[in-house]
Amino acid sequence: MHTPPRVLTVAGSDSGGGAGIQADLKTMLALGTHGMSVLTAVTAQNSLGVQGAWDLPAEAVRAQFRSVVDDIGVQAVKTGMLSSAELVETVAGLLAGLRVPVVVDPVGVSKHGDPLLAAGALDAVRTALLPTATVATPNLDEVAQLTGVRVEDEAGMRRAAAEILDFGPRWALIKGGHLPAGAADSAVDLLTDGTEEHWLRAPRHDNRHTHGTGCTLASALAAQLAKGDTVPQAAAAAKDYVTGAIAAGFRLGAGIGPVHHGWRLRDGH
Amino acid sequence: MHTPPRVLTVAGSDSGGGAGIQADLKTMLALGTHGMSVLTAVTAQNSLGVQGAWDLPAEAVRAQFRSVVDDIGVQAVKTGMLSSAELVETVAGLLAGLRVPVVVDPVGVSKHGDPLLAAGALDAVRTALLPTATVATPNLDEVAQLTGVRVEDEAGMRRAAAEILDFGPRWALIKGGHLPAGAADSAVDLLTDGTEEHWLRAPRHDNRHTHGTGCTLASALAAQLAKGDTVPQAAAAAKDYVTGAIAAGFRLGAGIGPVHHGWRLRDGH
């Protein structure tokens, strides 16, 4: 059997299975890659919010990373929840030595507004983590946290991208999904490297079950890059995958359900 | 979108993605269910062995379990690596309150011989965990650890099953994959509840890339039980899935590669 492309997520665990490394690993399998993971934190989480969180020691993060990278090797990496400045700096240091595409999802708060990143870690994200990124994928809340820019329309997305690119990633993918209703009739994202500009549009689905959207998009992007796509190709494919997963998102628990990672799979049994 | 059956794994993390909760979550997606996870430990692990392990505090295991079960609910549970007596007892206590099928994979040592269970925890497995099981799925090394019975042929598997059933699980699935070459011309497992006896046979594949076989079988069994199969139906379906996954196991790193969780999936894109 041919070895599938190898993709690594460096992120937190969501016990409910809809976000975090759970979303990443499911996405990677659904897109035909071999998913691996470096756990940075473990959360007790469900459709209603985050009930508890336990950080892994930096030493455990380093050991997991070395076990994967030195023996197995990776063709793309995605980072998600890195809750403390120490973990952000540890991961940035590990990534600086790699020569493969890195997708940085600068996770700040959960879908329910629970903080997933210590305030003191923001500066480490700006100065240490974002410079390692091939693509950074902030949503509008994360743009505001990182740059102070409050985006309210598509022109604002262009300004936000320029400010994010100033921190050093090769590409910025600004996710406009949180634009005020009326500001856009579709879910629009802007991908740019400061020269090229790609507007990614998809129908906005009337479905509240969107838990894990950000993790899923970033890990789909990493999976496509591992398969050899260019960044614009990977972003288009990832947007397509996540749009279908949102449309198929399902009820789970009393609150916000997850996107459906298996929406495009058929069991050939 | 209809909510898929919900399956929970309570197990350790394998950074390399082939075993542990990674194998479980991939299996659950491949079999059309929603996978969730309670992390008990995090390992730094690759194709060569286990380089490090960090247990979660019992409080974190309890919190994750309650977040999942109280809000989302589960239709089947699978347990894997529970490294200490305290974690075995904690998980057994949580499972005792559930009214859904429980698959207990009494993980003792890794594929490479690294111990994944403290010696002092064996008694807690026997007296607290196994009584909660709908199905217990020991391999022959775990049978020896738990019962002292050294199985060398199919008659020995019957004796092993009887001893395992004495600890209280409803069914025992004794995995004969480690039988000495020549003792069986196929990979044979015995499923029995002390009355019915089902011998599950599959061709033995000449493939050393079998990392994650035990996790995959147990989580496939849990996924099928969540979908409403009887135990004999679920065991047959799980054996079928894992046999294909072993046949498609691939090279990864310098040592033992994983089974292929996506072997039966087609992207309907």
Side-chain angles (χ1 to χ4, degrees):
Chain A
M1 182 72 200
H2 192 66
T3 300
R6 293 147 288 157
V7 193
L8 174 65
T9 171
V10 181
S13 162
D14 169 9
S15 52
I21 62 136
Q22 286 76 7
D24 298 336
L25 292 165
K26 292 176 184 183
T27 297
M28 291 167 189
L29 180 66
L31 295 177
T33 61
H34 177 69
M36 304 177 286
S37 53
V38 169
L39 271 282
T40 59
V42 172
T43 69
Q45 188 172 167
N46 57 28
S47 80
L48 300 167
V50 177
Q51 288 83 39
W54 292 263
D55 280 2
L56 270 289
E59 167 215 354
V61 170
R62 261 193 301 268
Q64 294 173 80
F65 188 91
R66 293 264 65 95
S67 288
V68 170
V69 170
D70 296 348
D71 168 47
I72 298 173
V74 297
Q75 286 156 290
V77 181
K78 175 247 157 169
T79 72
M81 176 185 178
L82 302 169
S83 41
S84 68
E86 188 192 10
L87 286 183
V88 172
E89 278 156 16
T90 299
V91 171
L94 292 165
L95 293 175
L98 280 188
R99 304 230 158 267
V100 301
V102 173
V103 178
V104 170
D105 187 22
V107 175
V109 294
S110 81
K111 187 76 72 193
H112 300 90
D114 300 293
L116 297 177
L117 180 74
L122 268 178
D123 218 51
V125 171
R126 291 186 193 101
T127 61
L129 188 61
L130 286 176
T132 70
T134 309
V135 194
T137 64
N139 64 29
L140 298 186
D141 293 338
E142 291 151 359
V143 162
Q145 264 192 320
L146 289 165
T147 69
V149 174
R150 300 235 149 246
V151 175
E152 287 179 350
D153 53 23
E154 292 187 13
M157 290 177 68
R158 209 175 257 143
R159 281 195 307 280
E163 298 238 15
I164 291 288
L165 288 174
D166 277 349
F167 294 124
R170 264 274 350 253
W171 294 81
L173 177 61
I174 309 294
K175 297 177 293 190
H178 293 191
L179 273 183
D185 57 356
S186 57
V188 60
D189 302 335
L190 169 60
L191 174 74
T192 177
D193 63 353
T195 306
E196 292 176 40
E197 219 177 56
H198 303 264
W199 291 89
L200 306 171
R201 290 174 198 281
R204 201 189 274 274
H205 290 286
D206 184 21
N207 185 348
R208 62 193 288 261
H209 301 308
T210 56
H211 183 57
T213 302
C215 305
T216 300
L217 180 72
S219 51
L221 193 43
Q224 293 299 130
L225 291 171
K227 292 196 271 185
D229 275 5
T230 64
V231 171
Q233 286 167 341
K239 175 82 169 173
D240 191 43
Y241 175 69
V242 80
T243 300
I246 292 170
F250 51 85
R251 196 164 175 283
L252 195 72
I256 300 177
V259 305
H260 194 319
H261 294 101
W263 70 279
R264 216 159 61 181
L265 297 178
R266 304 280 174 274
D267 191 328
H269 188 40
Chain B
M1 182 72 201
H2 190 67
T3 300
R6 293 147 287 155
V7 193
L8 175 64
T9 171
V10 181
S13 163
D14 168 9
S15 52
I21 62 138
Q22 286 77 9
D24 298 335
L25 292 165
K26 292 175 186 184
T27 298
M28 291 167 189
L29 180 66
L31 294 178
T33 61
H34 177 70
M36 303 178 287
S37 52
V38 169
L39 268 284
T40 58
V42 172
T43 69
Q45 187 172 169
N46 57 28
S47 79
L48 299 168
V50 176
Q51 288 83 40
W54 292 263
D55 279 3
L56 271 289
E59 167 215 354
V61 170
R62 260 192 301 271
Q64 294 173 81
F65 187 92
R66 292 264 67 93
S67 288
V68 170
V69 170
D70 296 349
D71 169 47
I72 299 172
V74 296
Q75 285 156 291
V77 181
K78 175 246 157 168
T79 72
M81 176 187 177
L82 303 168
S83 40
S84 68
E86 187 190 10
L87 286 183
V88 172
E89 278 156 14
T90 300
V91 170
L94 293 165
L95 294 175
L98 281 188
R99 304 231 158 267
V100 301
V102 173
V103 178
V104 170
D105 187 20
V107 174
V109 294
S110 80
K111 186 75 71 195
H112 299 89
D114 300 294
L116 297 176
L117 180 74
L122 269 177
D123 217 51
V125 172
R126 292 186 193 101
T127 60
L129 188 62
L130 287 176
T132 70
T134 309
V135 193
T137 64
N139 63 30
L140 298 187
D141 292 338
E142 290 150 1
V143 162
Q145 265 192 318
L146 289 165
T147 70
V149 174
R150 300 236 149 244
V151 176
E152 288 178 351
D153 53 23
E154 293 186 11
M157 291 177 68
R158 208 175 257 143
R159 281 195 307 281
E163 298 238 14
I164 292 288
L165 288 174
D166 278 348
F167 293 124
R170 263 276 346 258
W171 293 81
L173 177 62
I174 309 295
K175 297 177 295 190
H178 294 192
L179 272 184
D185 57 354
S186 56
V188 61
D189 302 336
L190 168 61
L191 174 74
T192 177
D193 64 352
T195 306
E196 291 176 41
E197 216 177 61
H198 303 264
W199 292 89
L200 307 171
R201 290 173 199 280
R204 200 189 275 274
H205 290 287
D206 183 22
N207 186 348
R208 61 193 287 259
H209 300 310
T210 55
H211 183 56
T213 302
C215 304
T216 300
L217 179 73
S219 51
L221 194 43
Q224 294 299 127
L225 292 171
K227 292 196 271 185
D229 276 4
T230 64
V231 171
Q233 286 168 341
K239 176 80 170 175
D240 191 43
Y241 174 70
V242 80
T243 300
I246 292 170
F250 51 85
R251 199 168 171 278
L252 195 73
I256 300 177
V259 304
H260 193 321
H261 294 102
W263 71 277
R264 215 160 59 183
L265 297 178
R266 304 281 173 272
D267 191 329
H269 187 40

